[in-house]
Amino acid sequence: MLVHWLWLAHRPSVTDHMKAVLLEHFSDPEDIYFARPSDFSHIDGLTGEMAQALSDKDLATAEKHLADAMKYKLHIMTYRDAVYPKRLKHISDPPLVLYYKGTLPDFDGSPVIGVVGTRKATAYGLTTAKRM
């Protein structure tokens, strides 16, 4: 379920790289969500802090992200979606989910620019992003 993707994507202290490693060991985020602490013992590189974050089964934040996406008409793309950019999958820490609005360009067939920003952008930042 999408809510489990969002839950995993927003686990504090669990790196995107480790989230990809977890997805190699478990079939999907729902299996990670329902895993027992002992199920993580064989995962190389998983720290105690990461295991603690994975033991938090509260879905409230994930449900809020899902509700906000619906409210603002945002689409959510997961790492396993067919349209997930292949070039992005090959970086060391690919994001588990991408939020977007509108239609997607051909990420893998043409040059693209990604803008990483903030929710509290400065006037200069907003003006520059708009010009780009």
Side-chain angles (χ1 to χ4, degrees):
M1 285 178 51
L2 188 53
V3 71
H4 294 107
W5 279 97
L6 297 175
W7 168 82
L8 181 59
H10 295 283
R11 290 295 83 208
S13 76
V14 182
T15 65
D16 286 337
H17 174 75
M18 180 52 66
K19 292 168 188 171
V21 168
L22 288 165
L23 284 172
E24 289 175 15
H25 289 277
F26 296 88
S27 62
D28 58 42
E30 192 171 354
D31 287 344
I32 298 168
Y33 177 82
F34 287 110
R36 297 179 314 264
S38 60
D39 296 333
F40 299 118
S41 62
H42 66 284
I43 309 286
D44 288 336
L46 188 75
T47 66
E49 187 178 7
M50 290 177 187
Q52 181 66 34
L54 293 168
S55 71
D56 177 1
K57 305 302 183 181
D58 184 6
L59 292 174
T61 300
E63 289 168 344
K64 181 174 180 347
H65 284 289
L66 191 55
D68 287 347
M70 291 173 64
K71 177 180 176 182
Y72 296 108
K73 296 180 173 54
L74 298 175
H75 303 282
I76 302 172
M77 176 191 321
T78 72
Y79 181 79
R80 293 223 176 120
D81 285 343
V83 293
Y84 191 95
K86 288 175 185 60
R87 291 189 286 185
L88 192 54
K89 275 191 173 182
H90 297 291
I91 66 172
S92 62
D93 285 335
L96 217 52
V97 297
L98 298 172
Y99 300 87
Y100 67 96
K101 201 171 206 176
T103 58
L104 294 173
D106 179 11
F107 287 115
D108 297 316
S110 59
V112 294
I113 297 172
V115 178
V116 177
T118 177
R119 291 188 175 131
K120 297 179 182 177
T122 64
Y124 172 77
L126 291 170
T127 301
T128 303
K130 189 172 185 175
R131 274 191 282 153
M132 289 175 84

